Amino acid sequence: MKQWCRTAGALLFGALAAALVPAALSAQVTTASLTGTVRNQAGAPLAAARVTALHTPSGTRYSGSTRADGRYVIPGMRVGGPYQVTAALLGHEAQSRNNVTLTLGVATEIDFTLRESAVVMEAITVTSARADAVFSPERTGASTSVTREQIQAMPNISGRLEQVTRLTPQASGGMSFAGQDPRLNNITVDGSYFRNSFGLGNTPGDRTGVAPISLDAIEQVQVNIAPFDVRHGNFVGAGVNSVTRSGTNEFRGALRFDRRDDALVGTQAGAADFDPGTFEFQ
């Protein structure tokens, strides 16, 4: 009887573990993160320094502290920006970086060098490049990120997602990536699956010819071809990961309409006259 109970308990535990593992692996990335180091003028790491990131449009504030090696990590941040990132430590002059934009699923690295408080610090411009880095901390595999500014600047007629994903070098023929069938892509919006489960079209909305979600509501789009991050998965072609926009402290909106009347229709086909009929304002 005891042996049977132990066997049943082991089977029940295995079934629960098998049910929970796919759910954990199917999670998608919907945020960004900030990382870097804080050092003094001699190059030594500064521990317990406070790093604060302020999302200026909404007033959302994120913060973290440096470890003994001077490195800090702030996860779970809103994508986009602009952010004002400030590093401060008692006995040192605070240093800020403005107009910082965070990319979806990417850890943006910002390093600080703090001077002692006895030194008057004037406004300076700091630029740096790590020539000795083998791997870029901002690259997590073959992927392309499209920011809100790029979405607004791109010419777009249909308002569909493939008008944005075509910026990916591996894209061909709409939503086909790396030569794979578009139905093998995994499309997510705010971490939820948004792909065509029936396989009747290449992308959501193909059967109706409309966009399932307006690009005006999209903050960033990330196309992953071969990501290093194990949180991206469930695709063969590409993982199209997108997040929607969040509110700010300012009231704003967008209005879009389509117009067609007689003045927009031609009346000649070559040398022959053509009567297109009459059209009312739409």
Side-chain angles (χ1 to χ4, degrees):
M1 184 64 181
K2 293 182 179 180
Q3 181 65 27
W4 182 87
C5 292
R6 286 195 296 268
T7 303
L11 292 176
L12 179 60
F13 178 79
L16 290 175
L20 292 176
V21 168
L25 293 179
S26 62
Q28 298 297 322
V29 180
T30 60
T31 58
S33 59
L34 195 64
T35 184
T37 57
V38 180
R39 301 178 181 273
N40 58 17
Q41 290 179 282
L46 295 176
R50 193 69 173 175
V51 180
T52 304
L54 175 64
H55 186 258
T56 54
S58 64
T60 308
R61 190 180 301 271
Y62 305 87
S63 61
S65 300
T66 57
R67 303 190 297 260
D69 58 354
R71 178 162 290 275
Y72 69 92
V73 177
I74 307 178
M77 301 176 64
R78 290 175 52 166
V79 299
Y83 279 89
Q84 182 186 37
V85 186
T86 304
L89 180 63
L90 185 63
H92 295 76
E93 291 285 346
Q95 186 180 19
S96 298
R97 303 287 178 85
N98 298 319
N99 298 324
V100 176
T101 301
L102 302 185
T103 305
L104 174 63
V106 175
T108 303
E109 185 167 354
I110 299 180
D111 298 330
F112 295 92
T113 301
L114 303 185
R115 296 183 179 182
E116 295 182 358
S117 58
V119 179
V120 178
M121 181 178 177
E122 299 179 355
I124 59 173
T125 301
V126 180
T127 58
S128 62
R130 295 184 57 187
D132 57 341
V134 179
F135 295 101
S136 173
E138 297 185 2
R139 299 294 297 177
T140 56
S143 64
T144 301
S145 296
V146 184
T147 63
R148 181 65 205 163
E149 290 74 15
Q150 292 174 310
I151 294 176
Q152 290 179 327
M154 288 182 59
N156 197 327
I157 298 177
S158 64
R160 294 171 60 83
L161 195 60
E162 56 264 26
Q163 300 292 319
V164 175
T165 57
R166 58 191 171 132
L167 292 178
T168 305
Q170 297 85 355
S172 62
M175 292 290 287
S176 176
F177 302 96
Q180 300 296 325
D181 192 292
R183 290 172 292 184
L184 300 179
N185 299 329
N186 185 23
I187 302 175
T188 58
V189 178
D190 289 338
S192 299
Y193 291 131
F194 219 69
R195 60 189 176 199
N196 191 345
S197 301
F198 296 99
L200 301 178
N202 294 333
T203 57
D206 272 355
R207 305 295 294 177
T208 57
V210 298
I213 184 171
S214 173
L215 290 181
D216 291 332
I218 298 296
E219 175 69 27
Q220 283 192 13
V221 178
Q222 183 186 46
V223 181
N224 294 294
I225 305 297
F228 301 153
D229 196 334
V230 296
R231 295 175 294 178
H232 297 282
N234 297 324
F235 64 86
V236 176
V240 183
N241 186 21
S242 60
V243 294
T244 55
R245 302 172 65 183
S246 300
T248 65
N249 293 333
E250 298 179 1
F251 180 79
R252 63 182 61 186
L255 177 65
R256 183 185 303 274
F257 67 93
D258 297 326
R259 179 176 180 269
R260 183 182 185 186
D261 59 18
D262 297 340
L264 300 178
V265 182
T267 58
Q268 281 191 331
D273 293 333
F274 173 72
D275 183 11
T278 58
F279 298 90
E280 296 181 356
F281 174 79
Q282 296 181 354

